[in-house]
Amino acid sequence: MTMPAEEDFYPSRIDAGETITARRDPVVHGAGTACSEASAALLSRYENNGFFQLDDLFGAREVAEFQEEAERLRSARTLARRNEVIVEPESNSVRSIFDVPCFSDVFDQLARDARLVNWARALLGDEVYLHQSRLNYKPGFSGKEFYWHSDFETWHVEDGMPRMRAVSMSIALTENRASNGPVMLIPGSHRHYVSCAGLTPEKHYERSLRRQEYGVPSTTGLETLLGDREIAVVTGQAGSVLVFDCNTMHGSAGNITPYARTNLFLVYNAVSNALRRPYSGQEPRPEFIARRTGIEPLIPRAATRV
Amino acid sequence: MTMPAEEDFYPSRIDAGETITARRDPVVHGAGTACSEASAALLSRYENNGFFQLDDLFGAREVAEFQEEAERLRSARTLARRNEVIVEPESNSVRSIFDVPCFSDVFDQLARDARLVNWARALLGDEVYLHQSRLNYKPGFSGKEFYWHSDFETWHVEDGMPRMRAVSMSIALTENRASNGPVMLIPGSHRHYVSCAGLTPEKHYERSLRRQEYGVPSTTGLETLLGDREIAVVTGQAGSVLVFDCNTMHGSAGNITPYARTNLFLVYNAVSNALRRPYSGQEPRPEFIARRTGIEPLIPRAATRV
């Protein structure tokens, strides 16, 4: 007996024009059980907008420890020339480090921290594992822009993530100001799927980590997604956490200010939503970008607040 | 009898390294007579920060008229291929139109409007004339960044403006949001002069209107100027007016949002500060960029508020 071919719920870059269709998955999965009125309000905001922000999750000493660790990794000689380390095209300075827990006990513990993992479990209604992690360093004066994109579109097409059941957490390690290229999101965009025009070239990721060229929505598509809502600009102190659905359209402007912008980006995926073959039909991207083997549910680690 | 060579108060691009020196001119010139407590507070802010904003100078119908006129000019066939019209390097869409009153009665009257001209006279302590005017169209999705610069440095070196006795007014014709690449300024920077490294190439302006490469301060210089102050991000409704000293360091990030950003930029110079030969020793830039002939003091025109 032959298994039927697996259905592609979210085709994109299939050499057709751009289309916008309704999301075919819940936003808040499972019961979405809230333990308090405050968290119920956040779940509702997540459902409607596709994101919320947590301002006071970490103490000042914890944040200082994260900052020191990020600086240590940036200049760690042992990391130089590793594939996990992405450098700026022009200056050669470190722009991103992937698979951060591999190189750092501090961030390994943070990725397992109950304050984060329990939110991921509540939103995804499942056990969760770390699909991707990266430290992003956006330097002062020359931070490049990131154009609008849905992470899920790429994770689906290039990595084989079947459904929308993953959540991203961006932990600010520097202050996110209106001036230094903060994350901007299109509220409500997570409820729609933009199937992008074109095809994916082979080994696209080697270039796309520097500059996105495929899986990019059209300006008309972006205007349709926005409708009469307002683009949200996320500002917040170091230590604040932006929690956003895998399909929320987001981007950021360049940074000409002297203020660097560093964040730790953690993506939790439902164990039931583990990766399959990439829907592009191409070779999977490396494991440090999209975990597909050795997956184990994270056990939430109770933090001793320092 | 030979006249002594004229002193260059603000040398820059003289093939030496960058230096930062104190401003050698007043900020508020003459008596700086304020007609009310509110305007006294604004003069004091201008003195300290190098800028202030006027939110309610124009009525809604006036603003609508300005917006329509800006749209009319952008698509005016009679303007196509004129030197005064600067287009985006890649898309060929209109980025700026210089010498706006030449093409528009609406903006000619606005440039003479007493609500603007009287502020210029109060700040500059002199009769004033229009040194430069331009309509800037920063389109949605693809507006390019403007790196940090002092307008005065360029006006001095390339146009021969002798002293710091000019004031710029940027009238927003679309809402300036935190998200769509608003003007950012370094408060207090107007009190210092950054003499830039390098020399000015011939016919620099033909390229610099698209992308600035000379007369650009170093990152260290910018950090010194900022000190422990905070970069100011100017947001405001259409119709709001940013008034800033000719030497205030400013710039703006790119614009990836769907929100276009259009403004009318008017520069008033003191009649006593009229242009001389460019201090670079090169040919002057065209009159549509820097007025040097036929200068007459503007007679403030009382507006009949529509």
Side-chain angles (χ1 to χ4, degrees), chain A residues 141 148 177 230-231 256 259, chain B residues 148 177 230-231 256 259:
Chain A
F141 298 111
W148 300 103
R177 306 161 185 254
E230 296 269 324
I231 283 171
I256 66 167
Y259 311 124
Chain B
W148 300 104
R177 304 161 186 255
E230 295 270 323
I231 283 171
I256 67 167
Y259 311 125

Side-chain angles (χ1 to χ4, degrees), chain A residues 138-145 174-184 233-236 252-261, chain B residues 145-148 177-187 226 229-235 251-254:
Chain A
K138 201 167 192 173
F141 298 111
S142 61
K144 297 290 181 297
E145 76 177 31
T174 51
E175 185 179 345
N176 285 337
R177 306 161 185 254
S179 64
N180 68 342
V183 175
M184 300 190 286
V233 177
V234 177
T235 56
S252 60
N255 177 17
I256 66 167
T257 75
Y259 311 124
R261 202 167 71 75
Chain B
E145 76 177 31
F146 280 92
Y147 197 67
W148 300 104
R177 304 161 186 255
S179 64
N180 67 342
V183 175
M184 301 190 285
L185 307 102
I186 300 184
L226 184 61
R229 302 186 75 164
E230 295 270 323
I231 283 171
V233 178
V234 177
T235 57
S252 60

